[in-house]
Amino acid sequence: MTDPRSRLDTTKLLAARYRAANDRPYLASALYALTVVPSPDVPTMGVDRHWRCYVSPAFVDATPVEELAGVWIHEVAHLLRDHHGRAGRLPAADQRDRYRVNVAQDCEINDDLLADGLRLPAGRVEPRLFGLPDGQLFEAYLPRLPPHVREHDCGSGAHGRPAPWDLPGSAGPAALGDVEAQALRRLTAEAMRAHQRTRGTLPAGWQRWAEELLEPTVDWRQALSGAVREAAAWAAGAVDYTYRRPSRRTPALRGVVLPSLRRPLPRVAVVVDTSGSMGDAELAAALGEITGVLREVGVRGNRVTVLACDADVHAVSRVTSTEQVTLGGGGGTDMRVGIDAALAARDRPSIVIVLTDGLTPWPDEVPSCRLIAALIGDGAPQPPHWVETVRVTI
Ligand SMILES: [Zn+2]
């Protein structure tokens, strides 16, 4: 005889999914991509990374359809928001307690669902239970949670650790692959945008999520250090990029490894625009990032020259430490003077990095060095296409 606990009320469960998809049509594709797996071992409902949704028959029996609809949306939110992928990028020590990670993730999801008027079962987690504000990502909630939270498990598709009820591998019934999952996220984000355009409403949390998914903001520190690292590898002869300048939109090339130290280390000139509208904080942050990366790859001491390009007198001065760079007033800067001065040095640099607000003419020809522009401030105009560009905004 079958265990009565394993008899799943499929009609009720699917009625709840229909209701969820009907009420929030932009989530329909994602909701219908989930495969139901009945399991007496899962406490309520949980997902794995292959978009299989494990369901406790007893939980379905005990929960009204309206709340079950909310739980469907809750579970699919873990997968749309790639919680398991993001959990895997937490520091190892933070990954260990799956329950804390899960509770932080539920905080990220549930504040939006409740603000959206959805009903969730009693005992749900939300930020205010811990005195925390709404509207944050789980990575922000996690360190602010109490050290011990109650056991709460939405499955390996949430916290990323294997769950006892998980079906083995990705080959099981209707397992979704990573590529399909990412396509589904995109499709959902586009459906959200269309919904917002035609109906004018979308919960703020989903709005932020869709924006970030469709137009990710590149972290400037990563982009800048990637560009510097890659140029250093190129200049040391490790990579033949003669015919292929990386596109300006290429994200950080973190994986580039410098060759052995028998190869000559490159010389680098940093030309700082001390005129106009750059903020001290942004300049210091960009300089700090550059000198940090150069130190890491072994380019230091007299191999790095910092030149301050003064706007008013068009003079260039060599400074021995980045702290000596002071910003002047005025505008009308010409960074070509700084670049020329850098290239005229006896120890000619193979990489020139220009920190500027972008209100400057650029050389007419491609110079015989790698030229990276760190553009500071929101309004900086775009340099010619052959200048590698990283936009620094704080
Ligand atoms: Zn959850």
Side-chain angles (χ1 to χ4, degrees):
M1 213 179 104
T2 23
D3 181 345
R5 289 179 309 153
S6 68
R7 240 184 276 125
L8 176 67
D9 186 346
T10 316
T11 311
K12 186 178 181 185
L13 181 68
L14 298 186
R17 172 157 72 176
Y18 176 78
R19 180 173 183 150
N22 209 40
D23 287 356
R24 307 286 182 276
Y26 43 83
L27 294 174
S29 303
L31 285 166
Y32 282 100
L34 290 167
T35 307
V36 174
V37 181
S39 167
D41 300 324
V42 66
T44 55
M45 276 166 75
V47 283
D48 72 12
R49 64 179 63 225
H50 305 297
W51 292 63
R52 291 179 290 213
C53 184
Y54 301 87
V55 184
S56 150
F59 175 70
V60 172
D61 287 342
T63 311
V65 170
E66 193 183 0
E67 291 178 10
L68 272 181
V71 179
W72 271 108
I73 292 180
H74 174 98
E75 297 304 329
V76 87
H78 278 302
L79 296 172
L80 284 171
R81 290 167 175 270
D82 189 24
H83 277 174
H84 54 280
R86 285 160 55 193
R89 293 190 285 276
L90 291 170
D94 291 343
Q95 288 184 34
R96 235 164 269 144
D97 189 341
R98 70 177 66 189
Y99 301 122
R100 281 189 90 224
V101 173
N102 205 137
V103 166
Q105 293 173 333
D106 283 359
C107 284
E108 175 185 317
I109 293 174
N110 286 352
D111 56 348
D112 296 325
L113 266 48
L114 294 167
D116 191 23
L118 290 163
R119 273 189 58 191
L120 293 168
R124 62 179 179 249
V125 164
E126 53 181 312
R128 71 189 59 175
L129 284 182
F130 308 102
L132 298 173
D134 281 354
Q136 307 209 331
L137 297 181
F138 86 78
E139 291 88 344
Y141 287 128
L142 187 59
R144 301 176 66 186
L145 290 178
H148 300 290
V149 294
R150 108 189 124 86
E151 292 192 7
H152 185 75
D153 200 332
C154 294
S156 55
H159 48 63
R161 316 290 281 188
W165 50 84
D166 275 354
L167 291 173
S170 58
L176 217 66
D178 289 346
V179 176
E180 294 154 294
Q182 193 52 26
L184 202 48
R185 289 186 190 107
R186 244 198 121 71
L187 185 77
T188 303
E190 277 160 4
M192 285 175 178
R193 277 211 166 156
H195 179 88
Q196 194 177 13
R197 262 198 309 275
T198 52
R199 308 281 185 88
T201 56
L202 188 67
W206 281 130
Q207 206 176 313
R208 271 195 304 275
W209 173 80
E211 258 166 37
E212 182 57 30
L213 191 108
L214 297 172
E215 286 155 29
T217 46
V218 178
D219 174 39
W220 71 263
R221 286 176 195 278
Q222 239 183 54
L224 183 57
S225 65
V228 172
R229 205 179 283 269
E230 192 267 344
W234 167 83
V239 192
D240 182 9
Y241 278 108
T242 326
Y243 300 103
R244 189 197 146 257
R245 279 182 181 272
S247 130
R248 279 172 286 117
R249 304 204 54 151
T250 305
L253 292 152
R254 275 248 179 238
V256 177
V257 178
L258 269 186
S260 76
L261 295 181
R262 276 171 295 144
R263 289 179 187 273
L265 281 167
R267 293 183 184 279
V268 179
V270 183
V271 180
V272 183
D273 176 353
T274 58
S275 68
S277 54
M278 291 204 293
D280 273 321
E282 292 159 323
L283 177 65
L287 267 174
E289 192 66 30
I290 291 166
T291 48
V293 176
L294 290 176
R295 209 175 303 125
E296 234 175 80
V297 298
V299 179
R300 61 177 89 208
N302 63 4
R303 294 198 165 270
V304 183
T305 313
V306 180
L307 299 166
C309 199
D310 186 288
D312 295 330
V313 290
H314 282 190
V316 175
S317 58
R318 186 179 166 139
V319 293
T320 48
S321 85
T322 51
E323 285 82 54
Q324 289 176 353
V325 178
T326 48
L327 293 173
T333 189
D334 187 348
M335 298 309 284
R336 292 177 302 187
V337 179
I339 296 167
D340 286 347
L343 293 175
R346 197 161 47 88
D347 298 322
R348 206 169 173 283
S350 47
I351 302 167
V352 177
I353 305 167
V354 181
L355 271 69
T356 176
D357 59 12
L359 301 169
T360 169
W362 294 93
D364 292 327
E365 294 174 356
V366 181
S368 54
C369 67
R370 285 290 284 260
L371 184 57
I372 299 172
L375 296 181
I376 296 178
D378 290 333
Q382 189 66 36
H385 68 91
W386 46 263
V387 181
E388 273 173 61
T389 306
V390 176
R391 287 185 179 270
V392 176
T393 46
I394 294 176

